[in-house]
Structures are given as C-alpha cells and as structure tokens.
Amino acid sequence: MSGNDRPVGQPTPNQNAVAAGDAAADSAFLRACRREAVPHTPVWFMRQAGRSLPEYRKVRQGIGMLDSCMRPDLVAEITLQPVRRHKVDAAIYFSDIVVPLKAIGVDLDIKPGVGPVVEQPVRSRADLERLRPLDPEDVGYVTEAVGILTRELGGTPLIGFAGAPFTLASYLVEGGPSKNHERTKALMYGDPELWNALLDRLADITAAFLKVQIEAGASAVQLFDSWVGALAPEDYRRSVLPASAKVFEAVAPYGVPRIHFGVGTGELLGLMGQAGADVVGADWRVPVDEAARRVGPGKAIQGNLDPAVLFAPREAVERQAARVLEAARGLDGHIFNLGHGVLPDTDPQALTDLVAYVHEQTAR
Ligand code: CP3
C-alpha cells in the first residue's frame, strides 16, 4: 500500500517501513496472501531459523535464547540466515512467543530442550493483576531489529508474529510446556470469568506486540495458536475465539495480511476461519483443499507438508510435496509451508532442495 491510498485516520508506519513494504508488496508471498496471481507458489517454513542451521548454532553459542531475542544485530542475522541459504519467499522475525510476557516483567526463561518455563504460574485474580499492558518502549529492541531487517531484506517480506491468547495462557497457567493442559482447562471450566479476563488481557498484549512489529515494517503477521487443537470446537468457540478475534480486529486497520495457525486443528478450521485472519495455516492431518473447504471462502491457505517427511530420501520428499501441490491446485491463494515447525535434526539441504522443487513445479 502506498502512502497515498492509505485511508485518512489509519495508522502510518515509519518511512523506512513504507519503502521496504513497497519493495515487498509485489512479492509472491504477499500476492498469495491476498489471493492474487503468483509467478510461483511462495514457500517459507515455520522455525526456518534455528537449530537445523549450523550458522545458527554458531552465533548462538554461549548466548541464552531470551538474551539473543533482545539483541537487534543478532536477531537480524539469525532471521536472514535461512533466507540466504534456502531462498525462501519470506523471512520470519527471530523471537519467541513468550518475549512480550518477559518484556512486561513475567519471570520466565526458555530452557533448552524443554521450552518456556514460568516461575510463578498465573492461577488467581492476584496473579492476573501482575500482567500489565505492553508498552512499545518495553520492546525497543524489536523496533530496532525490524528496522534493520526491512532495510536488509529488500524485496523479501518480513513476517512478524505473536503467540495467540490460548497458547500463551497455557504456558502461564501450567508454568511450562504441557501435554494435557489440565490446569489451563481447569481454569477455563472452573472460573470462566477469570479465564475470560486472562484471555482478554493477553489479547491486548498480543495486539500491542504485533502493532510494534507492523509499525516498524513487518509486511505480514502470524498468530501462533500452537496448542489450541487440544480443545473441542464448542469450547474453542466460547472460550478462545473472542480473544483471538480481538487480536485480528486490532491489527486489521494496517492492511497487512494476518495468518492464523495451530496444530491438530482439523475440527476447528471452520471456527478459525471466523476469527478474522486472511490466511489460515493447516497442519498435515487435513489436505489443503479440504482445509480450504472447512475454513470457508475468501481466505488463503498455508501448509502443510509433515515436517517428519524431510527425514525421508529426496524422491520421497518430492512425492509428498507433489501431493500437497496437487491438493492446492484449485486454491486461489496457497503458501507452501510445513504443517508445523522445522524439526531441529532436519538436514538443511533437504529444506533448500524443497524450496527449489516447489518453485520449479509451480513456475508459471
Ligand atoms: O524461524 C522461526 O520460525 C522464528 C523463530 C521462532 C522461535 N519460537 C524460536 C525458538 C518462533 C516462530 C517461535 C514460536 C514459538 N515458541 C511457538 C509457536 C510455534 C510452534 O512451534 O508451535 C511455541 C509453542 C514456542 C515455545 C517454545 N520456545 C518451544 C516449544 C521451544 C523449544 C524448546 C526446545 O529447546 O526444544 C522454544 C525455544 C525456541 N524458540 C528455540 C527457537 C529457535 C530453541 C531454543 C534454542 O535454539 O536454544
């Protein structure tokens, strides 16, 4: 969007961001998000930056995960690494879903091989009151890193992201990663008023965090609701959808594509389609054409090669990727991705080869 056709009263990103955004505006990735014709199917991978890359392991040596997220030079370098190596069609900002919580003072850490661990879990009204609103100044390093990236990336769009209220609530209430989300569900069923207040507060924090990234120059945003597949549709509709919808609504005026993703969401895709995103991501359990049918008209689909397929020989990877492309053939907007993040032991060459394969197969 150029400055001229921005409606009066709309938020205005800084000039850097506008220039970088213009360069990326015609990219295959943003065109696919808007369901426009593309020169080839765009590809990027969730968790494309990270432990699968030797150059990532090298620059992260001796630096904690959260510390690295607060160093703009390091964030920019790590974000650029998979773009240089794999020639993906979009960069994803290097950070973690718990960064905005850390920024408002929640005592948490990311433990290697475990994930986010919260010192004092949130389970009462008093705990909730400790979650204050996010001020853009809490995350000045994000503004700075996005600024570096939009300049360095040229025409490659940058995707900003945040964790969705349910997935953040799960870490906060459980105090760490959880298989069954039992304490989270106990709060959701046992004290709906406190639950709704918690999700509403997290929606505001998440929206504020996405706004910082967009205003600094991010061309699109993705809301990760990784663990929401643990819910039945009726519970999702009543107890989670309003908070996620609030996040999408809050960033709608910027006009950047909004992507919505979760794992194990086959039975939730219809409701996720109602939450307000422009693009819905599906994991590998539902073919993308069926995912599009469930999501409903007017939305692009992102996905959905099983990340474990990348451990098979190259011909097998190509056969499975061809199945995804075949299912996507009739869709208006398709962004090729994995059905969840790159697994740490993935051979990076398998990812580079996959990007080339999708580009070749879909060149028009
Ligand atoms: O390339 C990208 O996609 C951007 C980087 C990114 C990270 N975390 C970096 C990271 C993104 C998008 C995330 C989001 C995130 N973090 C999610 C949603 C996406 C998903 O995978 O469903 C979730 C659930 C988290 C929480 C989290 N943080 C987990 C489960 C872990 C892994 C713990 C482990 O060590 O196995 C983290 C840590 C983390 N976040 C790492 C990275 C690269 C690994 C830490 C390291 O490299 O030392």
Side-chain angles (χ1 to χ4, degrees), residues 283-318:
D283 78 7
W284 60 90
R285 294 172 181 89
V286 181
V288 286
D289 49 348
E290 174 61 16
R293 201 188 59 73
R294 294 185 189 183
V295 164
K299 300 195 186 278
I301 299 293
Q302 178 172 280
N304 72 345
L305 187 73
D306 183 344
V309 164
L310 288 157
F311 291 76
R314 184 170 173 166
E315 307 73 59
V317 176
E318 293 184 354

PDB file of all heavy atoms in Angstrom, residues 283-318:
ATOM      1  N   ASP A 283      -2.157 -27.999   9.646  1.00  0.00           N
ATOM      2  CA  ASP A 283      -1.095 -28.996   9.789  1.00  0.00           C
ATOM      3  C   ASP A 283      -1.333 -30.095   8.749  1.00  0.00           C
ATOM      4  O   ASP A 283      -2.214 -29.987   7.901  1.00  0.00           O
ATOM      5  CB  ASP A 283      -0.976 -29.488  11.236  1.00  0.00           C
ATOM      6  CG  ASP A 283      -2.044 -30.503  11.622  1.00  0.00           C
ATOM      7  OD1 ASP A 283      -2.822 -30.950  10.750  1.00  0.00           O
ATOM      8  OD2 ASP A 283      -2.110 -30.864  12.809  1.00  0.00           O
ATOM      9  N   TRP A 284      -0.518 -31.177   8.788  1.00  0.00           N
ATOM     10  CA  TRP A 284      -0.508 -32.180   7.722  1.00  0.00           C
ATOM     11  C   TRP A 284      -1.672 -33.149   7.794  1.00  0.00           C
ATOM     12  O   TRP A 284      -1.831 -33.987   6.920  1.00  0.00           O
ATOM     13  CB  TRP A 284       0.818 -32.949   7.774  1.00  0.00           C
ATOM     14  CG  TRP A 284       0.989 -33.641   9.087  1.00  0.00           C
ATOM     15  CD1 TRP A 284       0.588 -34.913   9.394  1.00  0.00           C
ATOM     16  CD2 TRP A 284       1.538 -33.100  10.288  1.00  0.00           C
ATOM     17  NE1 TRP A 284       0.869 -35.193  10.715  1.00  0.00           N
ATOM     18  CE2 TRP A 284       1.455 -34.099  11.284  1.00  0.00           C
ATOM     19  CE3 TRP A 284       2.104 -31.861  10.623  1.00  0.00           C
ATOM     20  CZ2 TRP A 284       1.902 -33.904  12.597  1.00  0.00           C
ATOM     21  CZ3 TRP A 284       2.542 -31.674  11.924  1.00  0.00           C
ATOM     22  CH2 TRP A 284       2.448 -32.678  12.898  1.00  0.00           C
ATOM     23  N   ARG A 285      -2.503 -33.066   8.852  1.00  0.00           N
ATOM     24  CA  ARG A 285      -3.543 -34.082   9.034  1.00  0.00           C
ATOM     25  C   ARG A 285      -4.750 -33.861   8.128  1.00  0.00           C
ATOM     26  O   ARG A 285      -5.566 -34.775   7.956  1.00  0.00           O
ATOM     27  CB  ARG A 285      -3.995 -34.121  10.494  1.00  0.00           C
ATOM     28  CG  ARG A 285      -2.889 -34.594  11.443  1.00  0.00           C
ATOM     29  CD  ARG A 285      -3.318 -34.422  12.887  1.00  0.00           C
ATOM     30  NE  ARG A 285      -2.303 -34.839  13.852  1.00  0.00           N
ATOM     31  CZ  ARG A 285      -1.358 -34.041  14.338  1.00  0.00           C
ATOM     32  NH1 ARG A 285      -1.287 -32.786  13.947  1.00  0.00           N
ATOM     33  NH2 ARG A 285      -0.496 -34.491  15.221  1.00  0.00           N
ATOM     34  N   VAL A 286      -4.899 -32.656   7.575  1.00  0.00           N
ATOM     35  CA  VAL A 286      -6.023 -32.347   6.683  1.00  0.00           C
ATOM     36  C   VAL A 286      -5.455 -31.817   5.364  1.00  0.00           C
ATOM     37  O   VAL A 286      -4.701 -30.846   5.371  1.00  0.00           O
ATOM     38  CB  VAL A 286      -6.941 -31.264   7.303  1.00  0.00           C
ATOM     39  CG1 VAL A 286      -8.122 -30.962   6.392  1.00  0.00           C
ATOM     40  CG2 VAL A 286      -7.423 -31.683   8.682  1.00  0.00           C
ATOM     41  N   PRO A 287      -5.787 -32.459   4.215  1.00  0.00           N
ATOM     42  CA  PRO A 287      -5.269 -31.942   2.940  1.00  0.00           C
ATOM     43  C   PRO A 287      -5.680 -30.481   2.736  1.00  0.00           C
ATOM     44  O   PRO A 287      -6.754 -30.073   3.189  1.00  0.00           O
ATOM     45  CB  PRO A 287      -5.932 -32.846   1.892  1.00  0.00           C
ATOM     46  CG  PRO A 287      -6.428 -34.045   2.633  1.00  0.00           C
ATOM     47  CD  PRO A 287      -6.667 -33.627   4.048  1.00  0.00           C
ATOM     48  N   VAL A 288      -4.846 -29.703   2.040  1.00  0.00           N
ATOM     49  CA  VAL A 288      -5.116 -28.264   1.965  1.00  0.00           C
ATOM     50  C   VAL A 288      -6.435 -27.923   1.265  1.00  0.00           C
ATOM     51  O   VAL A 288      -7.072 -26.921   1.603  1.00  0.00           O
ATOM     52  CB  VAL A 288      -3.955 -27.460   1.319  1.00  0.00           C
ATOM     53  CG1 VAL A 288      -2.784 -27.347   2.279  1.00  0.00           C
ATOM     54  CG2 VAL A 288      -3.533 -28.019  -0.011  1.00  0.00           C
ATOM     55  N   ASP A 289      -6.873 -28.757   0.307  1.00  0.00           N
ATOM     56  CA  ASP A 289      -8.158 -28.454  -0.347  1.00  0.00           C
ATOM     57  C   ASP A 289      -9.307 -28.646   0.644  1.00  0.00           C
ATOM     58  O   ASP A 289     -10.247 -27.841   0.696  1.00  0.00           O
ATOM     59  CB  ASP A 289      -8.366 -29.263  -1.642  1.00  0.00           C
ATOM     60  CG  ASP A 289      -8.106 -30.755  -1.478  1.00  0.00           C
ATOM     61  OD1 ASP A 289      -7.547 -31.172  -0.433  1.00  0.00           O
ATOM     62  OD2 ASP A 289      -8.458 -31.517  -2.401  1.00  0.00           O
ATOM     63  N   GLU A 290      -9.209 -29.710   1.451  1.00  0.00           N
ATOM     64  CA  GLU A 290     -10.233 -29.939   2.475  1.00  0.00           C
ATOM     65  C   GLU A 290     -10.155 -28.833   3.548  1.00  0.00           C
ATOM     66  O   GLU A 290     -11.183 -28.350   4.041  1.00  0.00           O
ATOM     67  CB  GLU A 290     -10.050 -31.328   3.091  1.00  0.00           C
ATOM     68  CG  GLU A 290     -10.955 -31.646   4.272  1.00  0.00           C
ATOM     69  CD  GLU A 290     -12.450 -31.610   3.953  1.00  0.00           C
ATOM     70  OE1 GLU A 290     -12.823 -31.634   2.756  1.00  0.00           O
ATOM     71  OE2 GLU A 290     -13.249 -31.516   4.903  1.00  0.00           O
ATOM     72  N   ALA A 291      -8.947 -28.411   3.897  1.00  0.00           N
ATOM     73  CA  ALA A 291      -8.778 -27.321   4.871  1.00  0.00           C
ATOM     74  C   ALA A 291      -9.467 -26.061   4.343  1.00  0.00           C
ATOM     75  O   ALA A 291     -10.176 -25.371   5.083  1.00  0.00           O
ATOM     76  CB  ALA A 291      -7.300 -27.049   5.138  1.00  0.00           C
ATOM     77  N   ALA A 292      -9.273 -25.773   3.051  1.00  0.00           N
ATOM     78  CA  ALA A 292      -9.889 -24.578   2.455  1.00  0.00           C
ATOM     79  C   ALA A 292     -11.408 -24.672   2.520  1.00  0.00           C
ATOM     80  O   ALA A 292     -12.100 -23.686   2.799  1.00  0.00           O
ATOM     81  CB  ALA A 292      -9.425 -24.425   1.010  1.00  0.00           C
ATOM     82  N   ARG A 293     -11.937 -25.888   2.278  1.00  0.00           N
ATOM     83  CA  ARG A 293     -13.390 -26.072   2.321  1.00  0.00           C
ATOM     84  C   ARG A 293     -13.903 -25.794   3.736  1.00  0.00           C
ATOM     85  O   ARG A 293     -14.915 -25.117   3.938  1.00  0.00           O
ATOM     86  CB  ARG A 293     -13.741 -27.501   1.883  1.00  0.00           C
ATOM     87  CG  ARG A 293     -15.167 -27.687   1.397  1.00  0.00           C
ATOM     88  CD  ARG A 293     -15.508 -29.147   1.161  1.00  0.00           C
ATOM     89  NE  ARG A 293     -15.353 -29.974   2.356  1.00  0.00           N
ATOM     90  CZ  ARG A 293     -16.169 -29.950   3.406  1.00  0.00           C
ATOM     91  NH1 ARG A 293     -17.218 -29.129   3.419  1.00  0.00           N
ATOM     92  NH2 ARG A 293     -15.940 -30.721   4.462  1.00  0.00           N
ATOM     93  N   ARG A 294     -13.168 -26.304   4.725  1.00  0.00           N
ATOM     94  CA  ARG A 294     -13.605 -26.116   6.122  1.00  0.00           C
ATOM     95  C   ARG A 294     -13.470 -24.657   6.570  1.00  0.00           C
ATOM     96  O   ARG A 294     -14.309 -24.143   7.312  1.00  0.00           O
ATOM     97  CB  ARG A 294     -12.782 -27.013   7.060  1.00  0.00           C
ATOM     98  CG  ARG A 294     -13.034 -28.486   6.826  1.00  0.00           C
ATOM     99  CD  ARG A 294     -12.314 -29.343   7.846  1.00  0.00           C
ATOM    100  NE  ARG A 294     -12.401 -30.758   7.459  1.00  0.00           N
ATOM    101  CZ  ARG A 294     -11.931 -31.770   8.169  1.00  0.00           C
ATOM    102  NH1 ARG A 294     -11.337 -31.537   9.321  1.00  0.00           N
ATOM    103  NH2 ARG A 294     -12.048 -33.005   7.741  1.00  0.00           N
ATOM    104  N   VAL A 295     -12.408 -23.996   6.142  1.00  0.00           N
ATOM    105  CA  VAL A 295     -12.150 -22.602   6.550  1.00  0.00           C
ATOM    106  C   VAL A 295     -13.206 -21.665   5.963  1.00  0.00           C
ATOM    107  O   VAL A 295     -13.597 -20.689   6.595  1.00  0.00           O
ATOM    108  CB  VAL A 295     -10.727 -22.180   6.117  1.00  0.00           C
ATOM    109  CG1 VAL A 295     -10.562 -20.669   6.152  1.00  0.00           C
ATOM    110  CG2 VAL A 295      -9.684 -22.841   7.014  1.00  0.00           C
ATOM    111  N   GLY A 296     -13.664 -21.997   4.751  1.00  0.00           N
ATOM    112  CA  GLY A 296     -14.675 -21.160   4.097  1.00  0.00           C
ATOM    113  C   GLY A 296     -14.036 -20.228   3.087  1.00  0.00           C
ATOM    114  O   GLY A 296     -12.816 -20.075   3.052  1.00  0.00           O
ATOM    115  N   PRO A 297     -14.890 -19.576   2.256  1.00  0.00           N
ATOM    116  CA  PRO A 297     -14.382 -18.805   1.121  1.00  0.00           C
ATOM    117  C   PRO A 297     -13.622 -17.533   1.540  1.00  0.00           C
ATOM    118  O   PRO A 297     -13.769 -17.053   2.660  1.00  0.00           O
ATOM    119  CB  PRO A 297     -15.654 -18.419   0.353  1.00  0.00           C
ATOM    120  CG  PRO A 297     -16.755 -18.504   1.349  1.00  0.00           C
ATOM    121  CD  PRO A 297     -16.353 -19.539   2.360  1.00  0.00           C
ATOM    122  N   GLY A 298     -12.791 -17.039   0.607  1.00  0.00           N
ATOM    123  CA  GLY A 298     -12.174 -15.726   0.802  1.00  0.00           C
ATOM    124  C   GLY A 298     -10.874 -15.740   1.580  1.00  0.00           C
ATOM    125  O   GLY A 298     -10.363 -14.672   1.927  1.00  0.00           O
ATOM    126  N   LYS A 299     -10.327 -16.917   1.876  1.00  0.00           N
ATOM    127  CA  LYS A 299      -9.076 -16.953   2.649  1.00  0.00           C
ATOM    128  C   LYS A 299      -8.033 -17.801   1.934  1.00  0.00           C
ATOM    129  O   LYS A 299      -8.350 -18.805   1.319  1.00  0.00           O
ATOM    130  CB  LYS A 299      -9.326 -17.544   4.034  1.00  0.00           C
ATOM    131  CG  LYS A 299     -10.343 -16.711   4.782  1.00  0.00           C
ATOM    132  CD  LYS A 299     -10.384 -16.988   6.244  1.00  0.00           C
ATOM    133  CE  LYS A 299     -11.527 -16.232   6.898  1.00  0.00           C
ATOM    134  NZ  LYS A 299     -11.206 -14.846   7.193  1.00  0.00           N
ATOM    135  N   ALA A 300      -6.783 -17.370   2.019  1.00  0.00           N
ATOM    136  CA  ALA A 300      -5.684 -18.180   1.501  1.00  0.00           C
ATOM    137  C   ALA A 300      -5.361 -19.268   2.523  1.00  0.00           C
ATOM    138  O   ALA A 300      -5.698 -19.148   3.700  1.00  0.00           O
ATOM    139  CB  ALA A 300      -4.465 -17.303   1.235  1.00  0.00           C
ATOM    140  N   ILE A 301      -4.700 -20.338   2.030  1.00  0.00           N
ATOM    141  CA  ILE A 301      -4.347 -21.466   2.904  1.00  0.00           C
ATOM    142  C   ILE A 301      -2.830 -21.622   2.920  1.00  0.00           C
ATOM    143  O   ILE A 301      -2.174 -21.522   1.880  1.00  0.00           O
ATOM    144  CB  ILE A 301      -5.013 -22.778   2.404  1.00  0.00           C
ATOM    145  CG1 ILE A 301      -6.550 -22.647   2.410  1.00  0.00           C
ATOM    146  CG2 ILE A 301      -4.578 -23.974   3.266  1.00  0.00           C
ATOM    147  CD1 ILE A 301      -7.199 -22.517   3.775  1.00  0.00           C
ATOM    148  N   GLN A 302      -2.289 -21.887   4.102  1.00  0.00           N
ATOM    149  CA  GLN A 302      -0.854 -22.089   4.251  1.00  0.00           C
ATOM    150  C   GLN A 302      -0.588 -23.506   4.759  1.00  0.00           C
ATOM    151  O   GLN A 302      -1.233 -23.959   5.699  1.00  0.00           O
ATOM    152  CB  GLN A 302      -0.302 -21.062   5.238  1.00  0.00           C
ATOM    153  CG  GLN A 302       1.181 -21.199   5.509  1.00  0.00           C
ATOM    154  CD  GLN A 302       1.715 -20.045   6.336  1.00  0.00           C
ATOM    155  OE1 GLN A 302       1.972 -18.971   5.798  1.00  0.00           O
ATOM    156  NE2 GLN A 302       1.866 -20.252   7.631  1.00  0.00           N
ATOM    157  N   GLY A 303       0.364 -24.184   4.124  1.00  0.00           N
ATOM    158  CA  GLY A 303       0.754 -25.507   4.620  1.00  0.00           C
ATOM    159  C   GLY A 303       1.190 -26.412   3.496  1.00  0.00           C
ATOM    160  O   GLY A 303       1.424 -25.937   2.392  1.00  0.00           O
ATOM    161  N   ASN A 304       1.304 -27.697   3.784  1.00  0.00           N
ATOM    162  CA  ASN A 304       1.165 -28.388   5.041  1.00  0.00           C
ATOM    163  C   ASN A 304       1.909 -29.700   5.036  1.00  0.00           C
ATOM    164  O   ASN A 304       1.395 -30.708   5.496  1.00  0.00           O
ATOM    165  CB  ASN A 304      -0.318 -28.558   5.403  1.00  0.00           C
ATOM    166  CG  ASN A 304      -1.037 -29.581   4.529  1.00  0.00           C
ATOM    167  OD1 ASN A 304      -0.544 -29.992   3.478  1.00  0.00           O
ATOM    168  ND2 ASN A 304      -2.189 -30.014   4.989  1.00  0.00           N
ATOM    169  N   LEU A 305       3.151 -29.694   4.519  1.00  0.00           N
ATOM    170  CA  LEU A 305       3.963 -30.916   4.488  1.00  0.00           C
ATOM    171  C   LEU A 305       4.370 -31.305   5.908  1.00  0.00           C
ATOM    172  O   LEU A 305       4.856 -30.467   6.673  1.00  0.00           O
ATOM    173  CB  LEU A 305       5.218 -30.692   3.629  1.00  0.00           C
ATOM    174  CG  LEU A 305       6.074 -31.939   3.376  1.00  0.00           C
ATOM    175  CD1 LEU A 305       5.390 -32.869   2.381  1.00  0.00           C
ATOM    176  CD2 LEU A 305       7.461 -31.549   2.858  1.00  0.00           C
ATOM    177  N   ASP A 306       4.177 -32.572   6.240  1.00  0.00           N
ATOM    178  CA  ASP A 306       4.596 -33.089   7.550  1.00  0.00           C
ATOM    179  C   ASP A 306       6.107 -32.864   7.716  1.00  0.00           C
ATOM    180  O   ASP A 306       6.901 -33.339   6.900  1.00  0.00           O
ATOM    181  CB  ASP A 306       4.257 -34.590   7.591  1.00  0.00           C
ATOM    182  CG  ASP A 306       4.578 -35.248   8.925  1.00  0.00           C
ATOM    183  OD1 ASP A 306       5.340 -34.656   9.731  1.00  0.00           O
ATOM    184  OD2 ASP A 306       4.075 -36.360   9.145  1.00  0.00           O
ATOM    185  N   PRO A 307       6.538 -32.125   8.753  1.00  0.00           N
ATOM    186  CA  PRO A 307       7.974 -31.854   8.907  1.00  0.00           C
ATOM    187  C   PRO A 307       8.818 -33.123   9.006  1.00  0.00           C
ATOM    188  O   PRO A 307       9.996 -33.118   8.652  1.00  0.00           O
ATOM    189  CB  PRO A 307       8.074 -31.032  10.202  1.00  0.00           C
ATOM    190  CG  PRO A 307       6.705 -30.951  10.773  1.00  0.00           C
ATOM    191  CD  PRO A 307       5.719 -31.456   9.780  1.00  0.00           C
ATOM    192  N   ALA A 308       8.222 -34.238   9.448  1.00  0.00           N
ATOM    193  CA  ALA A 308       8.972 -35.504   9.560  1.00  0.00           C
ATOM    194  C   ALA A 308       9.298 -36.089   8.189  1.00  0.00           C
ATOM    195  O   ALA A 308      10.246 -36.864   8.048  1.00  0.00           O
ATOM    196  CB  ALA A 308       8.173 -36.508  10.390  1.00  0.00           C
ATOM    197  N   VAL A 309       8.533 -35.711   7.150  1.00  0.00           N
ATOM    198  CA  VAL A 309       8.794 -36.203   5.788  1.00  0.00           C
ATOM    199  C   VAL A 309      10.206 -35.834   5.340  1.00  0.00           C
ATOM    200  O   VAL A 309      10.842 -36.552   4.563  1.00  0.00           O
ATOM    201  CB  VAL A 309       7.727 -35.637   4.802  1.00  0.00           C
ATOM    202  CG1 VAL A 309       8.177 -35.797   3.357  1.00  0.00           C
ATOM    203  CG2 VAL A 309       6.387 -36.316   5.025  1.00  0.00           C
ATOM    204  N   LEU A 310      10.746 -34.724   5.853  1.00  0.00           N
ATOM    205  CA  LEU A 310      12.072 -34.260   5.434  1.00  0.00           C
ATOM    206  C   LEU A 310      13.200 -35.204   5.852  1.00  0.00           C
ATOM    207  O   LEU A 310      14.340 -35.040   5.433  1.00  0.00           O
ATOM    208  CB  LEU A 310      12.333 -32.851   5.977  1.00  0.00           C
ATOM    209  CG  LEU A 310      11.485 -31.799   5.253  1.00  0.00           C
ATOM    210  CD1 LEU A 310      11.291 -30.561   6.105  1.00  0.00           C
ATOM    211  CD2 LEU A 310      12.136 -31.430   3.920  1.00  0.00           C
ATOM    212  N   PHE A 311      12.886 -36.211   6.661  1.00  0.00           N
ATOM    213  CA  PHE A 311      13.894 -37.201   7.051  1.00  0.00           C
ATOM    214  C   PHE A 311      13.928 -38.364   6.058  1.00  0.00           C
ATOM    215  O   PHE A 311      14.785 -39.234   6.146  1.00  0.00           O
ATOM    216  CB  PHE A 311      13.620 -37.699   8.477  1.00  0.00           C
ATOM    217  CG  PHE A 311      13.884 -36.628   9.513  1.00  0.00           C
ATOM    218  CD1 PHE A 311      12.981 -35.581   9.709  1.00  0.00           C
ATOM    219  CD2 PHE A 311      15.045 -36.649  10.276  1.00  0.00           C
ATOM    220  CE1 PHE A 311      13.228 -34.578  10.637  1.00  0.00           C
ATOM    221  CE2 PHE A 311      15.301 -35.655  11.215  1.00  0.00           C
ATOM    222  CZ  PHE A 311      14.394 -34.613  11.393  1.00  0.00           C
ATOM    223  N   ALA A 312      13.012 -38.383   5.096  1.00  0.00           N
ATOM    224  CA  ALA A 312      12.967 -39.432   4.068  1.00  0.00           C
ATOM    225  C   ALA A 312      13.890 -39.047   2.907  1.00  0.00           C
ATOM    226  O   ALA A 312      14.319 -37.897   2.803  1.00  0.00           O
ATOM    227  CB  ALA A 312      11.519 -39.596   3.583  1.00  0.00           C
ATOM    228  N   PRO A 313      14.218 -40.018   2.013  1.00  0.00           N
ATOM    229  CA  PRO A 313      15.062 -39.687   0.860  1.00  0.00           C
ATOM    230  C   PRO A 313      14.415 -38.615  -0.018  1.00  0.00           C
ATOM    231  O   PRO A 313      13.190 -38.458  -0.020  1.00  0.00           O
ATOM    232  CB  PRO A 313      15.157 -41.015   0.094  1.00  0.00           C
ATOM    233  CG  PRO A 313      14.769 -42.076   1.068  1.00  0.00           C
ATOM    234  CD  PRO A 313      13.850 -41.441   2.063  1.00  0.00           C
ATOM    235  N   ARG A 314      15.257 -37.915  -0.793  1.00  0.00           N
ATOM    236  CA  ARG A 314      14.811 -36.784  -1.590  1.00  0.00           C
ATOM    237  C   ARG A 314      13.592 -37.094  -2.492  1.00  0.00           C
ATOM    238  O   ARG A 314      12.652 -36.309  -2.559  1.00  0.00           O
ATOM    239  CB  ARG A 314      15.981 -36.287  -2.447  1.00  0.00           C
ATOM    240  CG  ARG A 314      15.635 -35.055  -3.225  1.00  0.00           C
ATOM    241  CD  ARG A 314      16.869 -34.459  -3.858  1.00  0.00           C
ATOM    242  NE  ARG A 314      16.471 -33.371  -4.746  1.00  0.00           N
ATOM    243  CZ  ARG A 314      17.318 -32.491  -5.238  1.00  0.00           C
ATOM    244  NH1 ARG A 314      18.588 -32.542  -4.935  1.00  0.00           N
ATOM    245  NH2 ARG A 314      16.876 -31.542  -6.025  1.00  0.00           N
ATOM    246  N   GLU A 315      13.609 -38.258  -3.154  1.00  0.00           N
ATOM    247  CA  GLU A 315      12.488 -38.595  -4.056  1.00  0.00           C
ATOM    248  C   GLU A 315      11.189 -38.709  -3.261  1.00  0.00           C
ATOM    249  O   GLU A 315      10.125 -38.329  -3.749  1.00  0.00           O
ATOM    250  CB  GLU A 315      12.718 -39.923  -4.799  1.00  0.00           C
ATOM    251  CG  GLU A 315      14.039 -40.047  -5.551  1.00  0.00           C
ATOM    252  CD  GLU A 315      15.231 -40.227  -4.614  1.00  0.00           C
ATOM    253  OE1 GLU A 315      15.239 -41.208  -3.843  1.00  0.00           O
ATOM    254  OE2 GLU A 315      16.148 -39.370  -4.623  1.00  0.00           O
ATOM    255  N   ALA A 316      11.272 -39.247  -2.068  1.00  0.00           N
ATOM    256  CA  ALA A 316      10.076 -39.393  -1.230  1.00  0.00           C
ATOM    257  C   ALA A 316       9.576 -38.013  -0.772  1.00  0.00           C
ATOM    258  O   ALA A 316       8.367 -37.753  -0.755  1.00  0.00           O
ATOM    259  CB  ALA A 316      10.376 -40.271  -0.028  1.00  0.00           C
ATOM    260  N   VAL A 317      10.501 -37.127  -0.440  1.00  0.00           N
ATOM    261  CA  VAL A 317      10.107 -35.762  -0.044  1.00  0.00           C
ATOM    262  C   VAL A 317       9.366 -35.112  -1.220  1.00  0.00           C
ATOM    263  O   VAL A 317       8.302 -34.511  -1.044  1.00  0.00           O
ATOM    264  CB  VAL A 317      11.341 -34.905   0.337  1.00  0.00           C
ATOM    265  CG1 VAL A 317      10.924 -33.464   0.647  1.00  0.00           C
ATOM    266  CG2 VAL A 317      12.080 -35.507   1.525  1.00  0.00           C
ATOM    267  N   GLU A 318       9.934 -35.286  -2.421  1.00  0.00           N
ATOM    268  CA  GLU A 318       9.310 -34.662  -3.599  1.00  0.00           C
ATOM    269  C   GLU A 318       7.931 -35.259  -3.876  1.00  0.00           C
ATOM    270  O   GLU A 318       7.005 -34.526  -4.232  1.00  0.00           O
ATOM    271  CB  GLU A 318      10.241 -34.786  -4.816  1.00  0.00           C
ATOM    272  CG  GLU A 318      11.496 -33.938  -4.614  1.00  0.00           C
ATOM    273  CD  GLU A 318      12.430 -33.909  -5.809  1.00  0.00           C
ATOM    274  OE1 GLU A 318      12.187 -34.638  -6.804  1.00  0.00           O
ATOM    275  OE2 GLU A 318      13.424 -33.141  -5.738  1.00  0.00           O
TER     276      GLU A 318
END
